[in-house]
Amino acid sequence: MSAQPGKLKTRPQFLHVAGRGRKVAVPGLVLQVLDQEPAATPRAGFTVTKKVGNAVVRNRTRRILREALRAVARKEDLAAVDIVLIGRDGTRTRGFANVVEDLRRALRKGGALRP
């Protein structure tokens, strides 16, 4: 079980992960993962495009993703990676348990969970 991940805050950080990282798409979200040096703590960033909806809908989607990552991080051990979670239109229509399972599956596929 790992501590809560830190934050990706700036646009260059997001673009660095997008440009060099691995991408995993699952029904509820898209995950981008970039490995860091082993001693680093995991960091996460969240983004939702305007295609998903207005500001209220986008913020709600972002909160769902943030809470799903917290739920996974409480039970799984995250590797030293940068993670970008991209919300989809289906993120808010799927049940929370389904989003958590989608995220867990995407993190396994992307190699972001320690064995």
Side-chain angles (χ1 to χ4, degrees):
M1 294 205 267
S2 66
Q4 294 301 316
K7 293 181 182 178
L8 294 176
K9 294 182 180 178
T10 64
R11 180 170 166 77
Q13 291 173 329
F14 279 80
L15 293 176
H16 184 72
V17 174
R20 297 185 182 196
R22 297 177 300 280
K23 184 176 175 182
V24 178
V26 292
L29 55 102
V30 176
L31 172 77
Q32 296 172 338
V33 180
L34 179 65
D35 294 327
Q36 296 180 341
E37 59 266 0
T41 59
R43 298 185 303 175
F46 305 89
T47 185
V48 181
T49 67
K50 286 186 177 182
K51 290 180 187 177
V52 172
N54 64 18
V56 173
V57 171
R58 292 193 312 269
N59 285 329
R60 180 170 291 145
T61 303
R62 201 173 294 115
R63 284 194 304 269
I64 290 168
L65 291 174
R66 194 176 304 123
E67 204 49 47
L69 184 60
R70 282 188 190 124
V72 171
R74 276 194 289 270
K75 296 185 179 187
E76 305 279 350
D77 195 16
L78 293 175
V81 292
D82 284 343
I83 299 168
V84 174
L85 290 170
I86 303 170
R88 288 183 157 178
D89 200 27
T91 304
R92 63 190 171 90
T93 57
R94 293 175 68 78
F96 182 71
N98 291 333
V99 173
V100 171
E101 195 50 45
D102 287 345
L103 177 58
R104 187 174 282 123
R105 187 171 56 245
L107 288 169
R108 275 196 202 104
K109 268 183 171 178
L113 295 180
R114 289 192 175 126

